[in-house]
Structures are given as structure tokens and as C-alpha cells.
Amino acid sequence: MRFVILFTILIVSHISYSCFKENNIPPVYREIPDANFKAYLKTIVPLAFTPDNKFISNHPSVVSYDELMSIRRKNITSLSGIEYFTSLTKLDCLDNH
């Protein structure tokens, strides 16, 4: 009986680990054409940039970013790249080009 219980616990824990194990999704690199917008993004999601400044569009810090993105008066001309912030609900982009 103890063997059956122990075996059951081992199987359940292995299944649980397999279900909750982090997905190893390869990074998707995208270009952020506006230098000012890119500089701002580096301040709010620094882990989404590689050491050689490549932007990882599917990084967890990007897709889960749900805070206010305030880019007021940052001299930004293009918001290209904002589409990767799929959890974003508030954007303040007053006084840009």
C-alpha cells in the first residue's frame, strides 16, 4: 500500500512539473525604428533588449506590460513596435511629432 501511495505521489508531481514547466519559446527580434521610442522602451522593459540592442518582441516583460505607458514630450515620430505590448491598456502620447 505504501508503494502505491509513493508511486502515485511521484507520478502526480512529475505531471504537475511537466504542466507548469516554463515554455522555451525562441525570441522574436523586431526593429524599433524611432530612436526616442526605443530609448524609452529600454527604461520600462530593459530585459527585452539584448546587449547589442536587439528588441525581443515576445519577451514576457513586453507582452505582460499593463502599466501606463507615458511617452509625453519625448519627440517620438513613430510608435511602431507598440503592437507587441498586447496587455497595454493606457497610453499617454501627448506632445510628440
Side-chain angles (χ1 to χ4, degrees), residues 39-82:
Y40 173 75
L41 293 180
K42 286 181 186 179
T43 67
I44 63 168
V45 288
L47 297 176
F49 287 88
T50 64
D52 58 346
N53 285 327
K54 290 181 182 176
F55 177 68
I56 305 169
S57 63
N58 63 340
H59 191 275
S61 65
V62 173
V63 296
S64 67
Y65 188 85
D66 62 354
E67 299 173 31
L68 169 66
M69 186 180 284
S70 179
I71 53 173
R72 234 177 229 228
R73 298 180 188 109
K74 302 263 190 234
N75 202 25
I76 294 173
T77 58
S78 171
L79 290 177
S80 180
I82 200 165

Side-chain angles (χ1 to χ4, degrees), residues 2-93:
R2 287 183 188 173
F3 177 75
V4 172
I5 293 172
L6 180 61
F7 183 73
T8 304
I9 290 171
L10 287 173
I11 294 297
V12 169
S13 64
H14 178 70
I15 291 171
S16 297
Y17 175 75
S18 299
C19 291
F20 294 111
K21 190 167 75 171
E22 186 177 330
N23 292 334
N24 291 324
I25 300 171
V28 177
Y29 301 105
R30 300 287 186 213
E31 184 62 35
I32 304 296
D34 188 286
N36 294 327
F37 187 45
K38 187 175 186 176
Y40 173 75
L41 293 180
K42 286 181 186 179
T43 67
I44 63 168
V45 288
L47 297 176
F49 287 88
T50 64
D52 58 346
N53 285 327
K54 290 181 182 176
F55 177 68
I56 305 169
S57 63
N58 63 340
H59 191 275
S61 65
V62 173
V63 296
S64 67
Y65 188 85
D66 62 354
E67 299 173 31
L68 169 66
M69 186 180 284
S70 179
I71 53 173
R72 234 177 229 228
R73 298 180 188 109
K74 302 263 190 234
N75 202 25
I76 294 173
T77 58
S78 171
L79 290 177
S80 180
I82 200 165
E83 64 271 19
Y84 306 117
F85 290 80
T86 55
S87 296
L88 184 67
T89 57
K90 298 174 193 155
L91 173 66
D92 179 4
C93 56

